[in-house]
Amino acid sequence: MGLIHWKQAGMQQHLTEMMEAGKGGRAIALGIGAVVLAPILLPAIGKVAKPLAKATLKNGITLYEKGKVAVAEANEVWEDILAEAKAEALAESHKIPNAEPNHNHKG
């Protein structure tokens, strides 16, 4: 039995022992399995995940840009309303109320 085969057999034995040890051992064994399988699975996942990630980012950028436009338009409307309100308030403050009634009225 070669050294590599012996190490693999030992690793399998340790993994089996961890799996039998309970939940904690299973989690460790699954973690080790994930690390071992990652180089095999990641390229395959990457082929699917990359276009999905790009599409998600593209949609996010589009929504962000539309949101910026909507906020700018809402801000413009708000500023118009505010300017109109200020102008009306200023016009009303310059009006001089007629404090004395006109008694020269012949009726």
Side-chain angles (χ1 to χ4, degrees):
M1 183 184 300
L3 183 62
I4 293 174
H5 183 71
W6 181 79
K7 284 186 177 182
Q8 287 177 343
M11 183 67 85
Q12 287 176 345
Q13 179 63 30
H14 288 299
L15 287 174
T16 302
E17 288 172 4
M18 283 190 253
M19 292 293 280
E20 292 171 356
K23 291 182 182 178
R26 286 187 184 139
I28 292 170
L30 290 174
I32 292 170
V35 169
V36 170
L37 292 176
I40 298 166
L41 296 178
L42 286 180
I45 293 170
K47 289 179 183 177
V48 174
K50 185 176 178 180
L52 182 62
K54 278 179 34 179
T56 301
L57 289 172
K58 182 179 166 185
N59 289 334
I61 291 168
T62 301
L63 288 174
Y64 173 75
E65 293 299 325
K66 287 181 181 180
K68 278 181 24 179
V69 170
V71 167
E73 289 173 356
N75 192 32
E76 189 175 317
V77 169
W78 174 253
E79 288 176 357
D80 289 347
I81 292 170
L82 185 59
E84 289 175 20
K86 284 182 179 180
E88 288 178 14
L90 185 60
E92 289 176 6
S93 70
H94 287 312
K95 286 184 185 177
I96 300 173
N98 194 0
E100 296 181 33
N102 188 355
H103 292 292
N104 294 335
H105 178 73
K106 293 183 180 176

